[in-house]
Amino acid sequence: MRMFSGLVTEFSKVLDKLAGFCLVLLMALVVSNVVLRTVFKSPILGTYEYVSFLTAVVIGLALAYCAVQNGHIAIGLVADRLRCRTRAVVDTLVNAAALVFWGLTAWYIAGYAGAMTASGVVSPTTQTPFYPFVYLVAFGLLALCLVLLVRLAESVKKAAVK
């Protein structure tokens, strides 16, 4: 289990670095567009669409590593006052619910991307297909599910031991 956890953590880091690269690309696009619009009166066509696509990719790919670092909002007011075993049981239930929720979300988003592929949906200005970006978001959610699976196994182990 420790090896699987390490692989999931490293995979999440790689996705986070990719998300960081997309964020830098997004910032460069926005700055370039502002400069070109101001200096040459000629903006980059479709900047709004590309920024939207890249923002979705950044969020989708960064979720897993955020979960690895426990960077998400957690309400610990009640849970911190519980005994260790009770807290482990609550963590198990929360991780299981989150895994099911995000797993179903990834599944439906991938299905939505498949429907977009079949129908040929493209952005209005640049005619860029939507589906690759939607698939990337689904892939990021799948990576989040792997992190949640590791967390679930750890919380089950804590609940069973204590």
Side-chain angles (χ1 to χ4, degrees):
M1 186 65 192
R2 186 174 276 162
M3 188 172 91
F4 179 69
S5 176
L7 286 173
V8 169
T9 299
E10 289 304 313
F11 180 62
S12 299
K13 285 181 185 179
V14 168
L15 291 181
D16 190 58
K17 290 194 185 310
L18 183 59
F21 174 76
C22 289
L23 185 61
V24 169
L25 190 64
L26 189 150
M27 290 186 303
L29 177 64
V30 169
V31 169
S32 300
N33 186 52
V34 169
V35 169
L36 288 172
R37 179 183 298 268
T38 305
V39 176
F40 299 107
K41 305 288 189 239
S42 178
I44 299 171
L45 184 66
T47 300
Y48 181 77
E49 292 172 359
Y50 293 132
V51 166
S52 299
F53 292 149
L54 287 171
T55 301
V57 169
V58 166
I59 292 169
L61 295 181
L63 282 173
Y65 192 62
C66 186
V68 166
Q69 295 180 312
N70 281 329
H72 294 93
I73 296 172
I75 300 172
L77 182 66
V78 176
D80 289 343
R81 296 181 182 183
L82 299 173
R83 292 181 292 138
C84 284
R85 182 180 169 106
T86 307
R87 190 176 327 141
V89 169
V90 169
D91 285 343
T92 300
L93 294 174
V94 168
N95 287 326
L99 179 60
V100 168
F101 174 78
W102 288 114
L104 288 173
T105 303
W107 176 266
Y108 281 107
I109 288 177
Y112 182 60
M116 289 179 128
T117 304
S119 66
V121 177
V122 295
S123 63
T125 305
T126 61
Q127 300 297 303
T128 305
F130 279 107
Y131 71 88
F133 303 100
V134 179
Y135 274 125
L136 280 172
V137 171
F139 185 71
L141 291 177
L142 186 63
L144 174 62
C145 289
L146 289 174
V147 173
L148 290 170
L149 183 64
V150 169
R151 290 275 164 87
L152 178 63
E154 290 170 354
S155 60
V156 165
K157 185 178 175 183
K158 284 181 187 177
V161 171
K162 295 184 180 190

